[in-house]
Amino acid sequence: MNKKTLSRSILCTPATMTQFKSAINCSADIALMDLEDSIPLLMKDSARLNGLNAFKLITHDIPLAIRINSIRSFHGLKDIIEIINSGVDLALIHLPKVEYASEIRVVSDWLVESAPNTQLGAIIESPLGLSNLNEISATLSEGDSLVFGAKDFSCEMGIKDTWDNLLFARYQLVMAAKRFKVKVIDSPSFEINDMEIVRNEATMARDIGFDGKLAIHPSQVPVLNEVFTNSENVAWANDIINSCSSQKTIIKSKAGRLIGPPDVKLAQRILNM
């Protein structure tokens, strides 16, 4: 997976063949197999084995990803070792509950020979992880991502996972991602029936700078793809570029608003995404 690979929708499913097949057959940008929260402790070993075997057996046209257990845990260490030994071609590995930059460095060092093109997603799920965000972000490479884990973060904080309660944390992830030029992915919506709720949550995330969002159900994927494609922004950007390309002045008025170099720069950035 390269830095231009879309991450509008990352569909997360437990490490079972049946459920993962449904993930790769929908329109998600990335299909992610989960070895962490969705797998009971006593089933970790069998899920890991079944999951890695599924990667080898499934024919796919979309990038494949996996979420391991925390690299600070016994099962997380087993996950990464078995992934390396299996030789499966993964586009992305999500590392949960990241709290220290050393976690990213260790996994990067392990993958440098066996899977140099595999990108990493650092999931921030605790106040400690958030406080170490700059150090964690600095260890990521272009094309890697920061991922917000809203449920665990709110649990650690002892607060409800409402948008307003977690907006401060989300802004910090977005700012770190922009500073260090990595992607930033929002926590999933846990609504699986009302797609307007999913749309609203995704739109709010997009509007503060998120590049995409995790999905927990195939029905969420088309909504996320539409929201994060953001055709309205693309139309606005094209309009700005077309309006300013023939102007001799660098500042002009358009629909009653002044348009200047920052607007043109933003428009160019949108079109280059």
Side-chain angles (χ1 to χ4, degrees):
M1 190 170 81
N2 59 55
K3 65 180 182 179
K4 289 292 187 180
T5 300
L6 292 175
S7 302
R8 301 167 301 177
S9 56
I10 302 176
L11 180 56
C12 183
T13 59
T16 63
M17 174 73 85
T18 302
Q19 288 174 291
F20 194 66
K21 275 186 175 179
S22 68
I24 65 172
N25 289 326
C26 74
S27 57
D29 288 333
I30 300 171
L32 185 144
M33 182 179 288
D34 181 44
L35 297 177
E36 195 214 9
D37 284 348
S38 65
I39 306 297
L41 184 61
L42 295 179
M43 295 178 64
K44 296 287 188 185
D45 289 331
S46 60
R48 182 186 308 112
L49 177 63
N50 293 337
L52 292 176
N53 285 337
F55 278 132
K56 297 176 182 178
L57 296 173
I58 292 175
T59 302
H60 62 92
D61 294 320
I62 67 173
L64 301 183
I66 196 165
R67 178 171 70 174
I68 67 171
N69 293 278
S70 169
I71 199 65
R72 301 190 308 276
S73 71
F74 173 67
H75 281 291
L77 289 172
K78 290 183 74 174
D79 291 340
I80 199 69
I81 290 169
E82 290 303 317
I83 287 170
I84 292 171
N85 289 338
S86 72
V88 296
D89 182 20
L90 292 175
L92 172 68
I93 297 176
H94 271 187
L95 307 178
K97 298 176 174 65
V98 173
E99 295 185 329
Y100 302 98
S102 57
E103 298 172 57
I104 306 298
R105 285 194 291 266
V106 165
V107 175
S108 295
D109 288 346
W110 287 344
L111 294 176
V112 69
E113 291 186 5
S114 61
N117 296 320
T118 299
Q119 293 173 341
L120 299 178
I123 310 179
I124 305 301
E125 305 183 72
S126 70
L128 180 55
L130 193 66
S131 67
N132 290 330
L133 188 57
N134 282 338
E135 291 84 355
I136 291 168
S137 303
T139 63
L140 296 172
S141 301
E142 191 173 11
D144 290 344
S145 54
L146 291 170
V147 185
F148 187 43
K151 281 288 187 183
D152 282 278
F153 188 87
S154 61
C155 182
E156 291 275 336
M157 291 288 289
I159 59 177
K160 293 182 178 180
D161 62 332
T162 65
W163 178 262
D164 288 343
N165 283 352
L166 299 179
L167 183 57
F168 174 71
R170 281 186 164 96
Y171 264 128
Q172 288 198 63
L173 261 76
V174 170
M175 288 189 291
K178 304 311 177 185
R179 176 184 175 188
F180 292 98
K181 295 181 172 56
V182 297
K183 298 176 183 177
V184 58
I185 307 299
D186 194 26
S187 181
S189 170
F190 292 91
E191 175 60 50
I192 61 173
N193 292 319
D194 190 340
M195 290 302 107
E196 280 308 303
I197 293 176
V198 175
R199 182 182 302 277
N200 289 339
E201 292 181 7
T203 300
M204 289 189 293
R206 180 201 68 195
D207 287 350
I208 65 168
F210 280 91
D211 299 302
K213 197 170 176 71
L214 291 167
I216 57 170
H217 194 275
S219 63
Q220 297 176 336
V221 169
V223 176
L224 299 185
N225 287 348
E226 179 185 342
V227 169
F228 286 101
T229 298
N230 202 358
S231 56
E232 290 182 6
N233 265 10
V234 172
W236 173 86
N238 277 317
D239 191 30
I240 293 297
I241 296 299
N242 291 336
S243 297
C244 296
S245 60
S246 61
Q247 300 296 320
K248 295 181 180 179
T249 178
I250 60 173
I251 298 178
K252 63 165 294 186
S253 173
K254 181 173 177 60
R257 295 180 62 87
L258 288 179
I259 302 298
D263 299 291
V264 176
K265 185 176 181 179
L266 175 58
Q268 291 170 334
R269 180 172 181 174
I270 290 170
L271 296 177
N272 288 333
M273 286 180 177

